[in-house]
Structure formats: C-alpha cells, structure tokens
Amino acid sequence: MRVGLYPGTFDPVTLGHLDIVRRAASLVDRLVIGVAINRDKGPLFTLEERVAMVEAECVPLGRDVGCDIIVHPFENLLIDCAHDVGASVIIRGLRAVADFEYEYQMVGMNRILDDSIETVFLMAEAEHQAIASKLVKEIARLGGDVSKFVTPTVNSALIARLRG
C-alpha cells in the first residue's frame, strides 16, 4: 500500500490545499493529512477545529478517487510523523519560487534524517497559486470577501470566528 503524508497547519484549509489533496489522492492508496499543532504560529482555529474542517472537506475527495484519506494531528518532526503513519512519501504543495527555496532546504534535512522517504512536489493550479492561509485570514480580519479562496463551510467558520 502506497501511503503519502501531506502536512500543514491548515489554518484554515483553502481551495489551494484541496487542489493538492485531490491530486495527491490519485497518486497514493492512503493519504494522511498531517495537521501540525505548531503553537508558534498562533493559529486562529484550535487543533480540533482544524482537524474537523480538514476531515469535512477532504475525506469526500478521497472517496471520489478511491483513496483512503485520514486526518492525523501531529507535533513531532515531520519525518517522525511519516514513520508514525507508515508514509513512504511526503507530499508538498508549491505556489511560487519562494516556496521552493524553503522546501528545498526541508527536503535536504529530511533526506539526511531518513533517505528512504521521498518528497513529491505538486504545483498548485494557476487559479490557486496566490492563495495562502495567512493572507486569507488577513483579508477576512479586515472584512474582505474570502469566498473565492475557501469553501462555503470554511468561509462561514472564518466569519463566525472573526466577526461573531
């Protein structure tokens, strides 16, 4: 069984994330979406809320392509999380050259830690390349419309959290 791990904070999950999930699910038999706790980023949504959002948005995508999608919170090293879930490949989404520079360093470190785990990069579709959770939150905080960047359910959650 080919198991992939797609890690992130998903605060919140965006259409860009869903694009990568949909495409990654066609490459593996099981896709584990690792929701990072990452207390340093000061997430808008709790870990439990992010896990629930990712499950609601992503699990149905797996059914569409015959891939088992599991959501797994984690706080340890990415490479250790990959071991924990039995992943042989880490999936990373890229939006721009700036993403690549950071990811290139991350792959190098992960390969030193365990060279049996590969990293696969998927480029976001053109219409999703500008979407970043950080920017979505900022637009929403300032009262802007983020409905072009997130699903209706996530949009409602953002509105409720920031204006409720």
Side-chain angles (χ1 to χ4, degrees):
M1 174 180 281
R2 293 169 303 158
V3 179
L5 171 62
Y6 177 38
T9 52
F10 305 102
D11 185 43
V13 63
T14 68
L15 296 179
H17 293 128
L18 297 180
D19 172 49
I20 299 297
V21 167
R22 185 178 303 107
R23 292 168 46 223
S26 69
L27 301 174
V28 295
D29 302 305
R30 173 177 291 150
L31 180 62
V32 178
I33 302 174
V35 180
I37 293 172
N38 204 338
R39 299 175 209 290
D40 294 337
K41 281 192 173 182
L44 177 63
F45 294 101
T46 67
L47 175 65
E48 294 76 17
E49 290 168 328
R50 290 181 287 131
V51 166
M53 275 192 273
V54 171
E55 283 177 341
E57 300 296 339
C58 297
V59 171
L61 297 177
R63 279 189 230 118
D64 292 346
V65 296
C67 178
D68 183 26
I69 293 183
I70 297 167
V71 180
H72 176 78
F74 75 102
E75 190 172 26
N76 53 343
L77 286 173
L78 177 57
I79 208 75
D80 291 337
C81 179
H83 292 149
D84 292 346
V85 301
S88 59
V89 63
I90 295 169
I91 310 285
R92 299 296 290 169
L94 293 177
R95 294 171 301 204
V97 173
D99 284 351
F100 181 77
E101 291 173 9
Y102 170 77
E103 295 294 343
Y104 182 80
Q105 289 178 319
M106 180 81 88
V107 169
M109 298 298 282
N110 285 338
R111 296 285 295 165
I112 291 168
L113 294 171
D114 185 341
D115 65 0
S116 71
I117 298 177
E118 293 292 342
T119 299
V120 173
F121 296 108
L122 296 177
M123 292 296 299
E125 292 290 349
E127 67 265 25
H128 302 305
Q129 286 184 359
I131 301 174
S133 293
K134 180 180 177 179
L135 297 176
V136 168
K137 288 186 290 192
E138 186 66 20
I139 292 167
R141 269 191 195 101
L142 296 172
D145 178 13
V146 296
S147 62
K148 293 179 181 163
F149 310 121
V150 296
T151 65
T153 303
V154 173
N155 191 35
S156 295
L158 278 165
I159 291 169
R161 176 58 43 92
L162 295 171
R163 300 180 199 152

